[in-house]
Amino acid sequence: MELIISPASFVFEREGKLRDIYKIGNKIGQGAFSSVRRLKHRETLEKRVVKTIHKKYISTKEEH
């Protein structure tokens, strides 16, 4: 199976909750500040992955 990555492969920003659009699957990786999980689009059944950054590691301008 050949993996083809193009700009259309990425979803940069969406309105709404991730769980409403995708079925969230197993965790496939984890680092010190983030984790990676499998996703499946609820309508098209297209498979994707998402990298999430843990909130406790995000700082805002108000905190400085």
Side-chain angles (χ1 to χ4, degrees):
M1 181 173 144
E2 184 179 347
L3 176 64
I4 299 172
I5 299 174
S6 70
S9 300
F10 296 90
V11 178
F12 294 100
E13 191 173 323
R14 292 273 189 222
E15 299 269 333
K17 295 183 180 181
L18 187 68
R19 291 183 188 276
D20 293 341
I21 301 167
Y22 294 95
K23 180 178 179 184
I24 300 174
N26 296 336
K27 188 183 294 184
I28 58 174
Q30 183 169 336
F33 304 106
S34 62
S35 60
V36 178
R37 290 186 173 268
R38 296 177 194 268
L39 299 177
K40 187 183 282 187
H41 194 275
R42 293 186 182 275
E43 292 180 12
T44 65
L45 303 179
E46 184 177 33
K47 295 178 183 177
R48 294 185 178 259
V49 296
V50 64
K51 180 176 184 176
T52 55
I53 300 171
H54 306 297
K55 285 184 178 182
K56 66 182 178 180
Y57 297 111
I58 298 175
S59 63
T60 62
K61 290 180 182 180
E62 291 83 26
E63 293 176 356
H64 297 283

